[in-house]
Amino acid sequence: MSKELASILARAYDKPKYSIKNSQGVLNAIRNRRVLRGYRITSFDMENCFGSISTILALELIENDFETKIKQHTKIEKDDFISSLRICLDECNYLLYKGQFYRQLNGIFMGNSVGSIIVQIVTEHIINEVLKQLKKDRLIPPSVWIVYVDDHLVICREEHIDIILRHLNAFDPGRIKFTCEREENNSINFLDLTLIRQLGSITTNWPTRSNDREGPPKYCSLTYVPKLSESLARRIKYFIPEITIANRPDDKLTKLYSKEKDKVDPLQSSDVVYRIPCSTCSTLYIGETCQKLYNRKQQHKNSVSATNLAKPKMASALALHTKTNGHQFDFENIKIIDRKQNKKKLQIAEINHIIMNKDRTCN
């Protein structure tokens, strides 16, 4: 449901006024931009961006925009849309750590599919509110204001920097906090760029491209091998000058750190195809279930006890094999062999596995 709602919101808010997607967006915003006397380049950063944004505020903003922006992109009624979004934001915020489930009480859950678009919507609203306040104070608004997730790049009058920071931190005191980084030696870093204020214009450390073509350079990532990589890079540069080689190390952090997510107990999984071996012979039983595998295992155990050979049509293949041959299935070695999210796909997968193991299954 989160993915579907995120898709709808992305279409509804596909033309943000301030948000950019990458460094190219920065270049587009500052291209041919003059920095007037007394103006400075400043970066504002929202601390703990996802965790600071109130879900109540997010839902309120989206509800207010539903008729003008969202309605044309979905057939879901307004009340149902907001209710579904509330479930995704306030109830689907659990994580598993060392076998225990924890719930995030505040902010937007980073693993949530709607998280990024929610941050964009709220951030754009905050900027609009600050600009309204500047207008109310009769102050000249910034000539440039762009944002990448939680990083804001602002070009404004030097004496307005502290005022803007104060308005940003006054938006939702106690929850949202901004910090400020001012340019040093007429330069400031933003994303992977260094912006340099020089004689009223802005230059960057962005690599130039052959024939003055627009757009970012094309990179090719290769594992670094001493001496070999340098020679290879020179040859590639000779034959394909528009390609820049970016060497990557062979050693990665994944070799040092385990995955953060805990493994889920297989018996707690649902929407799976599974197999249970017979303890006495080589026979397998293959099945599928949309419920938790633990519950399905218990149902199989109960069916064996309840099966009456006088009514074989009412019994499962597993129970019939057990009763007819006097065998026992090894329920402790139940194993997941496939996963599907769709019931029909799950049934097709079950059939395929039965066919592939037709000489061994009791199905």
Side-chain angles (χ1 to χ4, degrees), residues 77-93:
E77 295 296 330
K78 179 179 179 179
D79 290 343
D80 293 335
F81 189 91
I82 299 301
S83 297
S84 300
L85 190 58
R86 183 175 287 108
I87 290 173
C88 294
L89 292 178
D90 291 338
E91 298 184 30
C92 301
N93 50 2

Side-chain angles (χ1 to χ4, degrees), residues 192-349:
D192 57 349
L193 297 173
T194 297
L195 306 181
I196 305 166
R197 181 172 56 83
Q198 191 174 38
L199 300 176
S201 62
I202 303 175
T203 59
T204 74
N205 63 336
W206 191 268
T208 58
R209 299 192 63 190
S210 58
N211 300 324
D212 295 326
R213 287 178 290 180
E214 293 185 355
K218 294 181 179 179
Y219 287 95
C220 177
S221 178
L222 297 175
T223 300
Y224 179 74
V225 180
K227 296 183 180 179
L228 174 62
S229 292
E230 289 85 352
S231 176
L232 181 60
R234 287 193 297 269
R235 290 177 180 273
I236 292 176
K237 193 67 177 177
Y238 179 79
F239 290 103
I240 319 175
E242 66 270 20
I243 294 294
T244 299
I245 298 299
N247 292 312
R248 64 171 183 266
D250 182 49
D251 292 329
K252 297 182 179 180
L253 287 175
T254 51
K255 291 185 178 181
L256 303 176
Y257 299 99
S258 61
K259 293 183 178 180
E260 293 182 2
K261 290 186 177 180
D262 281 15
K263 290 184 178 180
V264 177
D265 183 352
L267 292 178
Q268 297 298 320
S269 299
S270 55
D271 298 317
V272 298
V273 178
Y274 60 91
R275 73 182 184 194
I276 308 174
C278 178
S279 300
T280 313
C281 64
S282 60
T283 300
L284 297 172
Y285 174 81
I286 294 178
E288 57 85 12
T289 182
C290 292
Q291 57 186 315
K292 287 186 178 181
L293 188 56
Y294 174 81
N295 295 334
R296 186 60 180 142
K297 184 180 78 170
Q298 292 301 120
Q299 291 171 0
H300 279 305
K301 288 183 176 181
N302 296 337
S303 70
V304 171
S305 302
T307 294
N308 185 351
L309 289 178
K311 298 179 179 179
K313 291 184 178 180
M314 303 296 292
S316 68
L318 181 147
L320 283 175
H321 180 84
T322 302
K323 291 288 187 176
T324 303
N325 301 287
H327 293 182
Q328 295 292 329
F329 275 87
D330 187 0
F331 289 104
E332 297 309 312
N333 282 323
I334 187 170
K335 183 178 180 181
I336 296 172
I337 56 177
D338 213 337
R339 299 174 185 269
K340 302 291 180 183
Q341 293 296 320
N342 177 281
K343 176 66 175 177
K344 183 174 286 294
K345 290 181 180 179
L346 200 63
Q347 292 172 336
I348 293 173

Side-chain angles (χ1 to χ4, degrees), residues 154-199:
V154 177
I155 300 178
C156 65
R157 295 187 64 85
E158 186 172 15
E159 63 269 23
H160 294 169
I161 295 175
D162 290 333
I163 297 174
I164 292 174
L165 179 61
R166 187 168 64 249
H167 286 320
L168 286 170
N169 286 325
F171 179 80
D172 192 356
R175 291 185 63 95
I176 296 178
K177 182 181 179 181
F178 282 84
T179 58
C180 175
E181 180 184 353
R182 303 165 190 260
E183 63 175 71
E184 293 185 6
N185 298 322
N186 298 336
S187 69
I188 191 170
N189 295 322
F190 188 76
L191 300 186
D192 57 349
L193 297 173
T194 297
L195 306 181
I196 305 166
R197 181 172 56 83
Q198 191 174 38
L199 300 176

